[in-house]
Amino acid sequence: MPSILQVALDTPLHRLFDYRLPAQLDPVPSGSLVEVPFGRTLQIGVALERQSDSAIVADKLRDVIRVLDDRPALSPDILHLAQFCADYYHYPLGAILLATLPPRLRNAAPFMAGKPWLTVTEAGQTAEPPTRARAQRALLDALRAAPQARETLRLRKQGRHAAALVTAGWAEWSRLPPAAGHALPTQAAPAATVEQQAALDRLLPVLGTFSVHLIHGVTGSGKTELYLRLIDVVLATGQQVLVLIPEIALTPQLEQHFRRRFPGRRIATLHSGLNETARAENWLAAPDCDVLLGTRLSVFAPLPRLGLIVVDEEHDASFKQQDGLRYSARDVAIARGKQADIPVVLGSATPSLESYAQALNGRYQLIELRQRAISQAQLPDIELVDLKHIPVDNGLTRPALQALTDTLARGEQSLVFLNRRGYAPALYCPSCAWVSPCPRCSARLVLHRTSHRLKCHHCGFETRIPPECPSCGNPDLKALGQGTQRLEETLAARLPAARIRRIDRDTMRPRAWAELGEAVHGGQVDILVGTQMLAKGHDFPNMTLALILDTDGALYSPDFRATERLFAQLMQVAGRAGRADKPGRVLIQTAFPDHPLFRYLQRHDYAGYARALLAERKQLDLPPFTRQVLLRAEATTMDAALAFLQHAAALAPDTAGVSVFGATPAPMARVANLERAQLLVQSAQRQALQAFVRDWRPQLERIKPRIARWSLDVDPLVF
């Protein structure tokens, strides 16, 4: 009698599917990818349990078509982690498992894993090609210095010489990334500061056991150096390290830093900035690498010898997925650390209140770095420019321009931060007050003058700039407000001698970051103008001025996390100034200089502000003192979205200690022609809330007719 194989498929259904396993395909290890019929289509699924019978009648069972043996099976620890996510985030297991794979590995097309690096063999280290084979000799010398990428060899037309070396046994193709980088010089470890050594003395004894450590270090205190020293010890034991970072932009800088620090170690990267082939190849290489650097999805990477997880900038909202499986990579990393019985290190200059509260109550171990690592470097002075009393011209005040001028005259660098890309937030008609609306969203179209377009940053809609007002015909349309493009233009006009670079999503691609770092470190840039891409992780020793514009919007926000995010953002931006031996200065333009947030910021007092916010949150029964789940609904009309949520509320189980609030339109009520509404569920007890959702979700799936698309967001960050 054929075996029955339970298969997880990428469907919205919370169940596994039974298939007959033909004898010629047996055995199929758990975690293998298989192709199966599903309805009228074929799907790729993940093989899980074997059983001898099925609840489905025998003549309705369908056969597994084939096993995709050109790619490895998912390991038991990844299956276990995915099951945790399915249980905690109430999301289908099959959809999670398939989402953990790079796109090239989750389709049926054959995938031949490439070997993109040519490396020298042991025989090649001492080989002597014939004197006449000058090209082969040159290539072999280059390989002895560092592995060469296949793409580089192709561009240099060295393919046949590479083939000759491989045939001779002097070189071989490797799937792993190069161990020594592109002939980067080795970087010696600086002397540890007293605080860093004290932190290491606390961290080293816990290697090999599960624990969570929160490193709260001021900007420039050497958190990265602490990670590197800890990683060095873990690598010496033959184990692997996973380093999670929030931004793709930080990957090139960190990768170069790691390669210099760990020559001979195999370092891989995983992020969405890689093309699909590179992502698949790096994922396949992960089990053999020493260090994996990656963004949030890397938390599911196959790392069989994992010995340490580091989550840098743990407060960053980028670690929370905002569609599909709405998971927090930080929280999943902690779950993976517990599962593997290894330590997890969280680091930030401005920890999330959730993590900081856990440290205060003793569940996490708090490690503080209060001083900058370079002894001459001091925390910058923070000055407020009161917009109520000082006029603004094109977004800039006279003190701000003077500070930029003085910094330029000293040959030092400045950062101008404005978290709004584009030329202006909207196009405005002064005659009838028309303001460029997005036809698909509850948002304005942003003016992008360089591309002569109006664009929506929420749904992607774009159109040409109208020659006249669509409402009244007035041809004299005005740019309303400031964006980074307009700010760059203004600075170029006011400071013509300055070399200005704009850094935002419109100008930067992952590969451009390495070039930017070289330009800034090489003194080829005077002023960086940018969005939150510049706010964290970058270390520019000659940058002494940080100018922060237009911060006040968050102070009006109804989001209870808005001031927490603003404080973190301002402190991170301020931390870019004065990181070496030159004093730093920060200017913040605001109409609310007396707001408590700015008083704490000027004292660099994160701990004081965090405690004040925690006291406020506790009084108002808000996270981290309560747990929340948000039921989101989207429909073609707001009435339909609200009707679904009202029906859902009526089906809510009566669970002690769990509160169900009324259905309301979402703050951004319309996106991409869909009306959005939400319903909040809250409890002081995580277990009670989880039990509530387990009972509630099946009821939601039975609501007919299906007039809205819905999703559950556990521990929501965005409302």
Side-chain angles (χ1 to χ4, degrees):
M1 180 177 178
S3 296
I4 305 299
L5 189 64
Q6 289 193 307
V7 178
L9 296 176
D10 187 1
T11 75
L13 303 175
H14 290 256
R15 51 164 292 197
L16 302 178
F17 298 86
D18 290 353
Y19 289 90
R20 274 193 305 258
L21 182 62
Q24 66 270 22
L25 296 181
D26 213 8
V28 178
S30 182
S32 297
L33 297 181
V34 295
E35 186 175 19
V36 296
F38 187 75
R40 297 182 179 180
T41 65
L42 300 179
Q43 279 205 24
I44 301 302
V46 179
L48 294 178
E49 302 294 332
R50 294 277 295 273
Q51 52 189 39
S52 57
D53 57 6
S54 170
I56 309 297
V57 294
D59 60 353
K60 294 204 172 176
L61 282 174
R62 304 170 78 178
D63 287 348
V64 174
I65 296 173
R66 65 188 178 103
V67 179
L68 278 66
D69 50 13
D70 59 343
R71 57 209 79 180
L74 295 177
S75 59
D77 62 315
I78 297 301
L79 298 179
H80 186 189
L81 190 64
Q83 186 63 62
F84 161 80
C85 291
D87 295 339
Y88 185 77
Y89 293 106
H90 303 276
Y91 201 75
L93 176 61
I96 295 172
L97 288 170
L98 273 298
T100 66
L101 295 169
R104 284 289 298 275
L105 299 182
R106 57 177 183 250
N107 62 47
F111 181 80
M112 297 303 294
K115 294 185 176 181
W117 296 98
L118 187 67
T119 61
V120 68
T121 63
E122 187 175 349
Q125 293 287 3
T126 56
E128 289 291 337
T131 305
R132 66 181 182 277
R134 291 191 296 270
Q136 288 184 32
R137 293 176 71 92
L139 179 54
L140 191 56
D141 287 340
L143 288 173
R144 288 166 179 160
Q148 302 293 305
R150 184 192 297 275
E151 183 66 14
T152 302
L153 297 176
R154 186 185 66 80
L155 292 173
R156 293 175 180 170
K157 299 182 179 179
Q158 293 177 304
R160 62 189 179 91
H161 305 305
L165 294 180
V166 171
T167 301
W170 298 335
E172 62 185 4
W173 291 103
S174 171
R175 193 171 70 195
L176 288 168
H182 300 282
L184 294 172
T186 301
Q187 186 179 66
T193 66
V194 173
E195 288 186 325
Q196 287 171 346
Q197 189 58 54
L200 279 170
D201 291 342
R202 291 180 59 185
L203 288 166
L204 291 176
V206 302
L207 293 178
T209 58
F210 171 68
S211 55
V212 183
H213 298 261
L214 176 63
I215 300 176
H216 170 220
V218 299
T219 53
S221 60
K223 293 184 291 296
T224 302
E225 175 60 29
L226 187 54
Y227 305 152
L228 291 169
R229 288 175 177 269
L230 196 58
I231 289 168
D232 197 18
V233 175
V234 175
L235 296 182
T237 67
Q239 294 179 296
Q240 298 169 296
V241 178
L242 171 63
V243 181
L244 294 177
I245 54 177
E247 294 277 358
I248 296 172
L250 299 178
T251 311
Q253 175 180 299
L254 265 181
E255 182 181 5
Q256 187 179 69
H257 197 36
F258 273 59
R259 290 195 188 284
R260 283 177 169 154
R261 191 63 173 271
F262 301 124
R265 294 295 187 179
R266 297 161 296 184
I267 297 169
T269 58
L270 272 180
H271 54 78
S272 59
L274 299 171
N275 63 48
E276 288 192 1
T277 299
R279 283 180 68 184
E281 288 176 338
N282 285 9
W283 188 89
L284 290 169
D288 298 316
C289 77
D290 296 308
V291 179
L292 179 64
L293 290 170
T295 48
R296 61 176 176 255
L297 196 58
S298 305
V299 75
F300 296 104
L303 297 164
R305 297 175 287 109
L306 191 59
L308 173 69
I309 301 176
V310 175
V311 185
D312 194 24
E313 308 290 359
E314 67 84 28
H315 69 280
D316 200 286
S318 299
F319 284 124
K320 172 74 171 177
Q321 175 81 12
Q322 296 300 338
D323 54 21
L325 171 63
R326 290 176 162 88
Y327 70 100
S328 162
R330 178 197 64 209
D331 296 346
V332 174
I334 292 171
R336 187 169 188 180
K338 184 174 183 179
Q339 174 183 306
D341 199 21
I342 59 172
V344 179
V345 174
L346 313 177
S348 176
T350 53
S352 64
L353 286 188
E354 285 77 7
S355 295
Y356 196 67
Q358 294 281 45
L360 291 180
N361 67 28
R363 294 194 64 183
Y364 297 173
Q365 302 303 307
L366 180 63
I367 296 174
E368 295 188 290
L369 304 177
R370 297 184 175 89
Q371 302 295 324
R372 286 193 154 177
I374 298 176
S375 58
Q376 305 97 313
Q378 301 297 317
L379 291 171
D381 293 328
I382 298 177
E383 305 168 33
L384 304 177
V385 180
D386 190 347
L387 297 181
K388 294 195 298 293
H389 301 104
I390 299 176
V392 178
D393 183 9
N394 280 322
L396 294 167
T397 59
R398 183 175 296 174
L401 275 171
Q402 188 61 52
L404 289 168
T405 302
D406 294 344
T407 305
L408 185 64
R410 292 193 302 270
E412 297 167 359
Q413 295 167 324
S414 303
L415 181 155
V416 184
F417 175 79
L418 177 63
N419 202 24
R420 188 184 299 120
R421 64 188 176 98
Y423 186 83
L427 195 63
Y428 169 71
C429 175
S431 177
C432 70
W434 173 86
V435 181
S436 53
C438 175
R440 302 169 58 189
C441 300
S442 306
R444 306 295 185 190
L445 294 176
V446 177
L447 174 61
H448 287 251
R449 181 168 283 184
T450 53
S451 59
H452 306 286
R453 308 288 283 177
L454 292 172
K455 300 181 181 181
C456 178
H457 291 175
H458 298 277
C459 72
F461 174 85
E462 60 179 85
T463 185
R464 65 181 180 84
I465 298 174
E468 59 188 26
C469 175
S471 177
C472 70
N474 174 27
D476 187 23
L477 297 176
K478 305 291 185 184
L480 185 64
Q482 289 280 119
T484 50
Q485 290 179 11
R486 190 175 190 180
L487 179 59
E488 180 187 25
E489 180 182 280
T490 300
L491 289 170
R494 298 294 181 86
L495 302 168
R499 295 164 296 177
I500 302 170
R501 285 285 297 270
R502 174 164 56 90
I503 311 301
D504 56 32
R505 200 179 301 171
D506 299 320
T507 64
M508 298 303 293
R509 297 294 180 267
R511 294 178 183 174
W513 281 99
E515 184 271 329
L516 172 70
E518 292 174 4
V520 176
H521 284 283
Q524 300 164 31
V525 176
D526 298 312
I527 300 175
L528 283 178
V529 176
T531 59
Q532 62 183 352
M533 283 185 165
L534 282 175
K536 47 191 171 287
H538 304 289
D539 190 359
F540 303 131
N542 197 39
M543 187 163 288
T544 59
L545 174 67
L547 175 59
I548 302 173
L549 311 181
D550 199 13
T551 65
D552 294 344
L555 301 178
Y556 292 104
S557 174
D559 184 352
F560 69 87
R561 287 191 173 91
T563 54
E564 177 190 354
R565 292 195 188 104
L566 177 60
F567 186 88
Q569 191 176 73
L570 295 179
M571 185 166 276
Q572 293 283 347
V573 176
R576 300 312 105 202
R579 295 174 70 93
D581 56 350
K582 298 174 183 177
R585 184 184 181 198
V586 179
L587 265 67
I588 302 175
Q589 295 187 170
T590 176
F592 303 98
D594 296 326
H595 194 285
L597 179 148
F598 294 115
R599 292 201 297 272
Y600 285 105
L601 190 71
Q602 287 182 297
R603 298 196 299 265
H604 299 274
D605 186 8
Y606 164 83
Y609 193 53
R611 290 175 186 271
L613 287 180
L614 285 171
E616 181 181 290
R617 298 268 187 95
K618 186 172 186 178
Q619 188 175 11
L620 297 173
D621 286 332
L622 291 172
F625 299 100
T626 56
R627 299 287 177 173
Q628 295 180 330
V629 171
L630 201 63
L631 175 61
R632 304 176 187 271
E634 296 178 335
T636 53
T637 67
M638 182 58 73
D639 286 346
L642 291 172
F644 172 84
L645 293 178
Q646 288 159 1
H647 193 170
L651 294 173
D654 186 11
T655 304
V658 176
S659 300
V660 180
F661 295 90
T664 61
M668 178 66 70
R670 187 165 177 257
V671 173
N673 286 328
L674 287 174
E675 302 291 339
R676 309 193 309 167
Q678 58 195 35
L679 184 150
L680 180 66
V681 182
Q682 183 169 290
S683 175
Q685 300 297 323
R686 182 195 306 228
Q687 290 181 341
L689 188 59
Q690 284 287 322
F692 170 90
V693 178
R694 276 195 299 273
D695 292 340
W696 192 34
R697 181 185 52 74
Q699 302 297 323
L700 301 178
E701 292 171 347
R702 297 189 186 102
I703 294 179
K704 302 293 182 183
R706 184 60 57 80
I707 56 177
R709 184 172 62 187
W710 60 273
S711 62
L712 288 166
D713 189 352
V714 178
D715 303 329
L717 285 185
V718 177
F719 285 79

